[in-house]
Amino acid sequence: MTSVLKGNFQAAKSVEAKDKPEADDLDSRFEREAMKKLGGSIAYVAKKKIKWAEDENP
Amino acid sequence: MSAGADSIGLQLVAKMGELTWDRHGPMAIANAERNLAFKNMGKSLAALRKEKLGEGDTAIVIAAGPSLKRQDPAKTLLERGYKGAVVTTESALLYCLRQGLVPDLTVTLDPHATRIVRWFGDPHLSEAALKADDYFSRQDMDRAFADEMAANREILALLDKYGPQIRIALSTSASDAVVNRVLESGMQVFWWNPMFDDPDDAASVTSKLQAMNRFPCVNAGGNVGSAAWMIAGEALSKAKVALTGVDFSYYAETPYRNTQYYKEAVDLVGEANLDQVYIRLHNPHLDAWFYTDPAYMWYRESFLEMARDADFQTFNCTGGGILFGEPINFCPLDDFLRNYA
């Protein structure tokens, strides 16, 4: 689109086209917000059990 | 399992680690920083390794899944005179105390600012707060919570009475409301950090947390039930740990509305598409179907991984739910007690 639309004047400021329309950003942000509410209580870390502090190792 | 590999539910399971961080990570860290001020109001979880909790080499974990009210494990333990260690989630505390069972240890983990304190009795609970959040009244859980104000008064009184007898493995991620209530009720505090990432990486969030407070870091497996199991096996050094109330799912006939994440699932996909979020599993030990949501499915998968790495044996005596598969021994609680306790 930007390649075919040309103005017949020089803009005072150059305007950069955004990669994605703002609506898409909003959609994905809302989706992310909705999805995170489905998250669990806390993390799971694979292959780990308990790490004792150095001064309390069994 | 009844869900296509491309179902929304299974896609969410794959993202659950990052979604959980987004939901609770920063809150949990902030709570841990604030709780540093209370460090000397308790001991480290490491101190429990020197205490004898229960006789013998077994422990029973009691969590508050939907099977709890159907199976009534506390009644069985009392009738059988079980002498081993009883470790409960905070959500099963009211159930246990009502049954006359004072656990050897209770565990709390979730950093939520207002909900978790309800398991301990919320001194500031109001009708207005209940109207704003139907989390407890909507779910298929302990019937005692049907009248929430009455249940709150009851748990407040029970904890004021039994608090000093109860040890609590208190996660540094707990909210100020929970910490205040725990301290106020005189519970014996044993602090621990939940793992957030690789504790062996010096630059990790977990390592920095441990450097700050010197408490042990526990892989909680995403939820308090799994944390209770890990603590029973690894901190209390019990060789055989049996689970009750660890369903990680709902009975097939439970309406979606009565599940924990119902409102959030509706917000994401709409009421008409909920079948895409929930995942159905057949339990071959019971020849029965159950269904679950992405978070609980993630808990299940994580638990199975942890159980495979564990140095102790796991018995699932829940009598329902979706936690089955190698290396878990799925059996009735009576059988476990007869053979090992």
Side-chain angles (χ1 to χ4, degrees), chain A residues 28-57:
Chain A
S28 62
R29 204 183 318 155
F30 280 126
E31 187 178 86
R32 183 83 186 181
E33 282 299 308
M35 282 200 300
K36 83 176 189 185
K37 291 177 183 167
L38 288 162
S41 289
I42 213 77
Y44 160 63
V45 183
K47 302 289 177 193
K48 301 294 175 189
K49 297 173 184 173
I50 296 183
K51 184 171 185 187
W52 304 99
E54 282 171 14
D55 50 353
E56 57 187 22
N57 268 324

Side-chain angles (χ1 to χ4, degrees), chain A residues 31-32 34-56 58, chain B residues 18 20 22-24 44 46 49 110 195 198-200 210 214 216-217 219 222 261 298-299 302 305 309 311:
Chain A
E31 187 178 86
R32 183 83 186 181
M35 282 200 300
K36 83 176 189 185
K37 291 177 183 167
L38 288 162
S41 289
I42 213 77
Y44 160 63
V45 183
K47 302 289 177 193
K48 301 294 175 189
K49 297 173 184 173
I50 296 183
K51 184 171 185 187
W52 304 99
E54 282 171 14
D55 50 353
E56 57 187 22
Chain B
E18 57 188 287
T20 298
D22 287 350
R23 181 186 184 216
H24 276 164
S44 162
R49 292 181 301 175
D110 191 302
M195 279 184 195
D198 185 356
D200 297 318
Q210 190 168 55
R214 310 299 303 154
C217 297
N219 188 5
Y261 291 92
W298 178 60
Y299 296 160
S302 304
E305 281 188 15
D309 290 339
D311 298 320

Side-chain angles (χ1 to χ4, degrees), chain B residues 65-67 70 135 138-141 247-262 278-281 288-296 320-322:
Chain B
S67 64
R70 302 192 189 201
Y135 178 83
R138 186 171 43 77
Q139 289 187 59
D140 179 27
M141 54 170 65
D247 300 69
F248 290 158
S249 63
Y250 310 99
Y251 287 92
E253 65 272 21
T254 308
Y256 286 153
R257 191 182 182 287
N258 297 135
T259 67
Q260 184 173 337
Y261 291 92
Y262 165 76
Y278 291 101
I279 303 153
R280 290 169 198 283
L281 285 93
W289 284 88
F290 297 85
Y291 76 94
T292 192
D293 43 42
Y296 281 94
I322 60 169

Side-chain angles (χ1 to χ4, degrees), chain B residues 305-317:
Chain B
E305 281 188 15
M306 291 196 299
R308 284 193 283 270
D309 290 339
D311 298 320
F312 55 93
Q313 286 181 277
T314 303
F315 297 79
N316 189 354
C317 305

